Amino acid sequence: MCIFSKARFTTVCAVFTATHDNCRDRAAMLLQNRAVFALGLRMCSTNAMRGPVVDTTRPNSDMSEFRKLFSKAKHIAIITGAGVSAESGVPTFRGENEKWRKWQSQDLATPEAFSRTPSRVWEFYHYRRELALRKRPSAAHLAIAECEARLKKQGRSVVVITQCIDDLHHQAGSKHVLKVHGSLMETRCVSCGEVTVNKRSPICAALKDKGAPDPDVADAQIPVDKLPRCNERDCRGLLRPNVVFFGETLDSHILTKVEKEMETCDLCLVVGTSSIVYPAAMFGPQIASRGVPVAEFNTHTTPKTEYFTHHFQGPCGTTLPPALARHESEVI
């Protein structure tokens, strides 16, 4: 995973802005989105498209029709976002959780912030780690895992492509999970690059009882040598959460696997994502551009809703289980 130069970041942002400000149809939007996808830069935009798309037909909300498509699908891709884990009590970067203390959450999730104030960023992620470690899978997590296990016996497959950095999909029992934004439960050494699964609580003694999000809490200002350190022999480098910060590239190996899944799936579900964080925001539209049915499950419409064949509004834990339940045509 590498960090873009400022010049390259500016170039990509220009492409990204043009995508949203100037596109007037699906073809142009998808073409420019692919440029962002190819670069793999994680970025966020709240801009919605300003012009109508070519096909203005409203997405279908007929569950019986979706279930027919589901019963015939052989390879299902399920793209999940923070909304799935929010139903387990894991805070997102949006709404009331947009700030941690007096800082914007997204401003802390950057390589620049970690370089300037590693203690503050570690407090922020320690708070998120400790909270995630106490949570349990939601009904949506469990429905996805059960569906994967059931369909596997029928020679069919389910892959989860998730933006979530918690461990709840794995806890629920999902086996085929691609984590495009990394994992809170892993660390990476900034010196030697070693990646290690780490679920210790607290992750180090200096962070014990630290990370409270209240705006009146002062920074702990933990010395760098007391923050999590690498255990590799002769290293002892500073550890960071093995997550993709905003402005960093996604893991190229993960992206390659995601592209393969996008090219082969014959049904896609986009679940609990705001569809404003790139490149993940264009996974669903790119699959839809192949003519593959794409169903969105969310509490509200998103900037990408109009590109999908189906939209089911409501909590994912309510709408998703009946969508993925055993179909009457299933023999196993």
Side-chain angles (χ1 to χ4, degrees):
M1 197 182 303
C2 63
I3 301 174
F4 279 114
S5 66
K6 183 176 180 180
R8 193 178 181 196
F9 180 77
T10 302
T11 300
V12 176
C13 285
V15 172
F16 180 68
T17 301
T19 297
H20 288 80
D21 288 351
N22 301 323
C23 287
R24 287 297 182 268
D25 55 49
R26 279 191 174 91
M29 176 264 198
L30 289 168
L31 183 62
Q32 294 190 34
N33 273 349
R34 283 175 183 139
V36 177
F37 179 81
L39 292 171
L41 180 68
R42 185 183 181 190
M43 58 176 72
C44 179
S45 172
T46 56
N47 295 327
M49 290 184 60
R50 295 179 181 174
V53 294
V54 173
D55 181 2
T56 57
T57 303
R58 293 176 63 84
N60 196 320
S61 59
D62 185 340
M63 182 61 78
S64 62
E65 180 182 300
F66 171 81
R67 292 284 289 164
K68 289 178 183 177
L69 295 170
F70 170 77
S71 70
K72 298 174 182 176
K74 301 297 183 184
H75 181 71
I76 302 171
I78 303 179
I79 301 168
T80 67
V84 176
S85 293
E87 293 185 18
S88 290
V90 177
T92 69
F93 279 135
R94 316 277 175 247
E96 62 183 22
N97 300 301
E98 195 169 6
K99 282 192 173 183
W100 177 85
R101 294 181 184 166
K102 60 184 178 182
W103 293 279
Q104 294 289 121
S105 295
Q106 291 182 23
D107 292 340
L108 294 172
T110 69
E112 294 81 10
F114 188 76
S115 177
R116 288 193 305 266
T117 55
S119 173
R120 179 186 299 160
V121 174
W122 256 121
E123 276 199 85
F124 170 63
Y125 277 101
H126 176 67
Y127 161 71
R128 299 190 73 199
R129 273 173 55 95
E130 292 295 301
L131 204 130
L133 283 167
R134 297 194 298 269
K135 302 305 180 182
R136 295 293 175 263
S138 67
H141 289 114
L142 296 171
I144 292 169
E146 191 279 331
C147 179
E148 178 189 358
R150 190 181 77 246
L151 296 194
K152 183 178 180 180
K153 298 176 182 177
Q154 303 170 24
R156 301 160 68 190
S157 68
V158 173
V159 60
V160 178
I161 302 170
T162 187
Q163 300 169 73
C164 299
I165 58 175
D166 54 60
D167 203 39
L168 294 174
H169 278 301
H170 286 297
Q171 284 188 41
S174 291
K175 305 298 183 185
H176 193 184
V177 180
L178 299 176
K179 306 189 79 168
V180 297
H181 291 161
S183 174
L184 270 176
M185 305 308 161
E186 293 178 353
T187 55
R188 186 169 83 249
C189 178
V190 300
S191 296
C192 72
E194 181 70 15
V195 174
T196 306
V197 174
N198 188 321
K199 297 183 180 181
R200 289 198 301 270
S201 174
I203 191 169
C204 71
L207 281 166
K208 181 177 173 59
D209 299 325
K210 299 296 189 294
D214 307 292
D216 57 344
V217 175
D219 283 1
Q221 298 185 351
I222 300 168
V224 174
D225 62 346
K226 300 298 183 183
L227 292 172
R229 311 298 294 191
C230 182
N231 288 323
E232 286 297 296
R233 186 173 181 176
D234 300 324
C235 182
R236 297 297 297 166
L238 176 65
L239 296 179
R240 55 163 280 181
N242 189 35
V243 299
V244 181
F245 290 145
F246 287 99
E248 290 184 327
T249 54
L250 275 62
D251 187 305
S252 60
H253 299 294
I254 296 294
L255 271 181
T256 298
K257 292 178 181 179
V258 168
E259 283 190 292
K260 181 179 178 181
E261 298 295 344
M262 289 169 58
E263 291 168 359
T264 58
C265 70
D266 54 5
L267 178 65
C268 175
L269 285 69
V270 179
V271 185
T273 174
S274 59
S275 292
I276 62 172
V277 177
Y278 280 68
M282 41 69 63
F283 291 169
Q286 189 163 328
I287 292 171
S289 73
R290 294 198 295 111
V292 172
V294 179
E296 183 178 56
F297 294 77
N298 212 318
T299 54
H300 56 271
T301 57
T302 72
K304 298 297 183 287
T305 299
E306 56 196 334
Y307 294 93
F308 304 144
T309 54
H310 296 75
H311 175 81
F312 298 101
Q313 195 150 321
C316 303
T318 301
T319 58
L320 196 61
L324 297 180
R326 179 174 177 171
H327 190 269
E328 59 185 13
S329 64
E330 295 182 37
V331 296
I332 297 179

